[in-house]
Amino acid sequence: MFELYLDTANVEHVARFNACLPLKGVTTNPSIVARYGIGLNQALSQIESIIGTGARFHAQVVSQSVDGMVEEAKRIHELPFDMVIKIPATEKGLTAIKLIKDQKITVLATAIYSAQQGFFAALCGADYLAPYVNRIDTMGADGIGVVADLQLLIKQHHLNSKLLPASFKNTQQVMDVLKLGVDAITLPYDVAVEMFAHPAVQPTIDKFNSDWREVFGDKLSFES
Ligand code: G3P
């Protein structure tokens, strides 16, 4: 089943979109958690009270060494939430992922800028892969192409990783990865807002309402 995440630690943003969408949970990174300043435990606790105990959280290690990442992953895993541990797909990160997967901890390989980098992470057993679509585009490469290549490699090599593309700056990037059939996606708040924001929608609804009021005033449909 498709998993929809918000890329945020902002409780109000989660509340807004959890009300109108089937949010699976949130993804964070160290910059996102630092931006909201309340710390991971408090943020996740508040967000879980909104989404419910089925919420899944992706949180990143900040340790730099392999041993540090493995130990930190274990500690994050012990938090009283459904946690996915985000590990950067570097040489050290992949080493850590191999060790962490021996312990049946769910892992997302993050900061993926190329298909080959993501492919290695998938070979190491990462449960999720997060290619950074807009950041790749910004560097003059093809973010959607990286996602498409990874989707192909996962299929051709019968790998179990789910693609969870991240880093979007517009809805076209989102639509392009959705059309590739990815398993999950994480949206920044402003892009999530834009997903609803077609300029023709509100004028259409306003015209329905004014036509109705001209004939039936304040009556509701079933009262007419
Ligand atoms: O979680 C990774 C993602 O947050 C990066 O997104 O918008 O900072 O490029 P962005």
Side-chain angles (χ1 to χ4, degrees):
M1 170 129 175
F2 185 81
E3 297 175 22
L4 175 64
Y5 295 91
L6 272 192
D7 202 20
T8 187
N10 182 306
V11 176
E12 285 81 33
H13 292 175
V14 173
R16 174 175 176 181
F17 284 105
N18 185 63
C20 62
L21 291 169
L23 277 191
K24 176 66 180 168
V26 302
T27 57
T28 66
N29 61 38
S31 304
I32 288 172
V33 178
R35 192 175 308 144
Y36 294 105
I38 60 173
L40 195 60
N41 284 287
Q42 197 179 337
L44 298 191
S45 165
Q46 291 179 3
I47 292 169
E48 191 180 60
S49 72
I50 294 166
I51 300 182
T53 49
R56 173 163 274 204
F57 299 110
H58 296 244
Q60 190 166 330
V61 297
V62 294
S63 300
Q64 305 294 313
S65 67
V66 173
D67 288 349
M69 286 190 235
V70 172
E71 189 52 34
E72 190 178 345
K74 285 191 219 161
R75 299 297 297 271
I76 297 174
H77 176 67
E78 286 165 8
L79 294 176
F81 307 104
D82 176 9
M83 298 301 305
V84 178
I85 319 303
K86 293 178 68 172
I87 310 278
T90 58
E91 181 177 350
K92 283 183 184 170
L94 296 188
T95 308
I97 288 171
K98 286 185 68 181
L99 295 167
I100 292 163
K101 283 314 297 173
D102 284 346
Q103 306 185 37
K104 311 287 180 233
I105 291 173
T106 309
V107 169
L108 176 147
T110 194
I112 292 175
Y113 283 80
S114 70
Q116 56 271 31
Q117 185 196 5
F119 179 63
F120 275 181
L123 287 181
C124 289
D127 301 276
Y128 294 88
L129 307 177
Y132 280 8
V133 175
N134 188 67
R135 292 195 192 201
I136 296 169
D137 286 354
T138 303
M139 298 176 78
D142 178 8
I144 308 299
V146 169
V147 177
D149 284 350
L150 277 171
Q151 183 84 321
L152 184 71
L153 289 169
I154 287 169
K155 190 169 173 215
Q156 281 183 334
H157 295 275
H158 309 289
L159 297 166
N160 292 321
S161 305
K162 291 181 174 180
L163 273 171
L164 194 164
S167 180
F168 296 99
K169 284 294 165 283
N170 60 64
T171 58
Q172 190 58 52
Q173 292 168 329
V174 176
M175 288 310 300
D176 286 345
V177 301
L178 289 178
K179 284 189 284 185
L180 292 171
V182 296
D183 304 288
I185 200 168
T186 185
L187 299 178
Y189 176 76
D190 53 346
V191 174
V193 170
E194 285 299 312
M195 297 288 283
F196 290 102
H198 194 290
V201 174
Q202 196 54 49
T204 299
I205 294 164
D206 291 345
K207 178 74 168 87
F208 288 148
N209 288 337
S210 70
D211 288 349
W212 176 266
R213 276 196 305 275
E214 262 180 38
V215 176
F216 297 113
D218 289 336
K219 277 188 179 163
L220 297 178
S221 55
F222 62 90
E223 297 170 322
S224 66

